[in-house]
Amino acid sequence: MTFDAIIVGARVAGAATALLLARQGLRVLLLERSAIGSDTLSSHQLQPAGAAVLERWGLLGELVAAGTPATTHLRLHHGRHVVDAELPRAMFSPRRTLLDAMLVRAAAEAGAEVREHVTVEELVWSEGRVRGVAGRARRGGGFSADAPLVVGADGKHSIVARAVRAGVYRERPSRAFAAYTYVGGLPVGAGEMYQRDGAAAAVFPTNDGLTMVYVSAPLDGFVAYRADPDGTFLGLLDGFGELGERVRSARRAERLRATPDQPNRFRVPYGPGWALVGDAGVVMDSITAQGMTNALRNAELLSLAVASGDFAAHHRERDRGLSRMYDLTLHLARHRPGVAERLFFPLLARRFWRSDRRVGGRRRHRGALAA
Ligand SMILES: Cc1cc2nc3c(=O)[nH]c(=O)nc-3n(C[C@H](O)[C@H](O)[C@H](O)COP(=O)(O)OP(=O)(O)OC[C@H]3O[C@@H](n4cnc5c(N)ncnc54)[C@H](O)[C@@H]3O)c2cc1C
């Protein structure tokens, strides 16, 4: 089988890249080792910039029609301070089963050939260039395909990145673990975000009338979490006013999921016959909820590079777009808000100030976040 591009991994990064390359008229093969649209270990806030990308591609309407609630307000809690912020455009929290499946369907409609249950085990090389992939299909045994471009969209432990020995830079070890679950009967009018010494939390509405509750805490607390997942999760939420109590009195709709596997690194994203996109290229702690938005934007940059042949521009623009958020993410994942933050938050509160009233003994600020 010969294609113009083979993409390994069919979630946000891979399916989006397949969609855009197929829309350019390329013959694209999209390979995924698991079932298309299966769930994955990830909460799923899509930032306004990510929603804007989906809208440009004509896909946001489908997410909304599938019952994904729009979040247009954020309530940020930091110590005594609460900021109510209006977002310039909505963010969404679509379940990955919905978002990933929708992107794969769009890629197939654009002409990409999609194969699930195919595990890529190695790259095929010729004269110093990657020329294709080889692996196993769940049905049919051995599998191979050729293309002048193989894209690794295979996540943070990318086999493509390892096989091409992609250079790694700005790497930092995991700093925090994350845990999340879904509850019913906890309606929220705004996305809620909480930060204090030693933990952060987020509460966002998602599909099927459920609310996603996420917590992040320093990595050394993962031992305690393993010994008592529920107790540790709720205990961390108890550190945020009434949040623990609200979650306790809601209906637990799904099991608790957690991971300490949150590396932080950049990889060189291209070389002869290969490219990397999404987490395979840049991965960072989930505390700032950027990965899906990054993956979508990165897919756009890569598809432009494929059209123009200027992969260096893709590399440059990707890093320029992510650099500051990467630094902020590393800082927040330490869970030690410093003096700067203690000063910054009240400033933020004041900057977006519209009304200023005490609610439950707390100073509450209201305003609109700049675009
Ligand atoms: C706890 C947690 C919470 C998160 N919360 C958020 C959030 O709220 N918002 C946000 O934007 N991001 C969040 N993220 C980050 C987000 O999950 C990732 O950034 C995003 O999934 C990256 O997408 P991707 O397509 O690059 O890779 P992945 O989603 O990892 O997909 C890679 C795919 O490649 C497939 N694959 C791997 N190897 C092979 C192979 N050899 N052959 C064939 N297929 C293969 C895998 O099966 C997988 O389906 C979170 C992450 C974690 C861990």
Side-chain angles (χ1 to χ4, degrees):
M1 286 190 287
T2 301
F3 295 85
D4 295 317
I6 298 171
I7 297 169
V8 185
R11 291 195 183 275
V12 246
T17 305
L19 164 67
L20 297 178
L21 296 188
R23 282 184 179 175
Q24 283 183 28
L26 301 187
R27 285 167 303 152
V28 176
L29 175 63
L30 178 60
L31 300 174
E32 171 56 51
R33 70 177 167 204
S34 56
I36 296 295
S38 54
D39 210 353
T40 185
L41 185 68
S42 170
S43 58
H44 32 75
Q45 280 96 271
L46 187 62
Q47 303 298 328
V53 172
L54 289 185
E55 189 161 35
R56 267 205 303 282
W57 298 349
L59 297 174
L60 188 60
E62 195 177 328
L63 268 197
V64 174
T68 311
T71 299
T72 53
H73 287 77
L74 286 184
R75 180 158 296 170
L76 313 167
H77 300 249
H78 178 86
R80 291 184 308 106
H81 297 277
V82 181
V83 175
D84 278 329
E86 283 165 34
L87 291 168
R89 37 179 316 143
M91 59 190 287
F92 294 84
S93 197
R95 290 296 294 257
R96 292 294 297 264
T97 45
L98 178 69
L99 177 66
D100 295 356
M102 179 189 79
L103 287 167
V104 172
R105 207 164 41 245
E109 279 164 15
E113 183 173 331
V114 181
R115 300 276 306 263
E116 61 182 355
H117 301 305
V118 173
T119 302
V120 170
E121 293 173 326
E122 58 186 8
L123 301 184
V124 178
W125 296 79
S126 157
E127 295 170 1
R129 283 186 70 88
V130 176
R131 300 279 180 192
V133 300
R136 257 177 315 107
R138 196 163 82 178
R139 286 194 202 93
F143 176 91
S144 67
D146 303 327
L149 177 67
V150 172
V151 178
D154 48 345
K156 58 191 166 197
H157 300 301
S158 168
I159 184 180
V160 176
R162 273 205 311 275
V164 299
R165 300 205 171 120
V168 172
Y169 53 102
R170 300 186 70 181
E171 186 170 32
R172 298 286 180 279
S174 296
R175 292 183 168 172
F177 74 94
Y180 66 98
T181 189
Y182 300 89
V183 296
L186 183 72
V188 280
E192 300 175 15
M193 295 164 72
Y194 300 81
Q195 192 198 17
R196 63 174 165 83
D197 270 349
V203 179
F204 277 84
T206 182
N207 302 99
D208 306 318
L210 297 179
T211 299
M212 193 274 312
V213 184
Y214 163 102
V215 78
S216 166
L219 195 58
D220 56 11
F222 195 63
V223 177
Y225 176 87
R226 279 202 123 127
D228 178 11
D230 262 319
T232 307
F233 184 72
L234 292 168
L236 286 166
L237 298 182
D238 283 335
F240 298 114
E242 294 157 2
L243 182 58
E245 231 9 81
R246 287 169 62 212
V247 172
R248 271 191 192 83
S249 53
R251 173 179 57 82
R252 180 72 64 82
E254 293 187 24
R255 69 190 165 83
L256 203 48
R257 296 154 213 222
T259 181
D261 181 21
Q262 302 205 90
N264 306 282
R265 77 169 78 86
F266 283 67
R267 285 189 177 117
V268 174
Y270 71 100
W274 61 271
L276 302 175
V277 68
D279 274 10
V282 179
V283 63
M284 63 183 86
D285 193 283
S286 63
I287 191 164
T288 45
Q290 296 294 314
M292 291 155 42
T293 299
N294 291 346
L296 295 175
R297 297 170 93 177
N298 197 188
E300 269 192 330
L301 287 175
L302 180 58
S303 82
L304 288 174
V306 171
S308 67
D310 188 356
F311 286 82
H314 157 236
H315 187 183
R316 208 170 41 243
E317 290 304 314
R318 182 200 71 173
D319 287 11
R320 188 162 38 214
L322 293 181
S323 192
R324 282 167 66 185
M325 183 54 75
Y326 187 74
D327 290 340
L328 176 66
T329 302
L330 288 174
H331 171 68
L332 292 176
R334 276 185 191 284
H335 290 294
R336 288 203 302 259
V339 177
E341 253 158 314
R342 288 193 189 104
L343 293 174
F344 170 73
F345 200 85
L347 268 179
L348 180 76
R350 223 171 296 137
R351 173 164 176 211
F352 298 117
W353 178 88
R354 264 191 212 150
S355 72
D356 182 2
R357 57 201 164 92
R358 290 196 172 271
V359 179
R362 291 181 173 195
R363 188 169 286 277
R364 182 160 291 190
H365 308 268
R366 190 175 277 285
L369 286 181

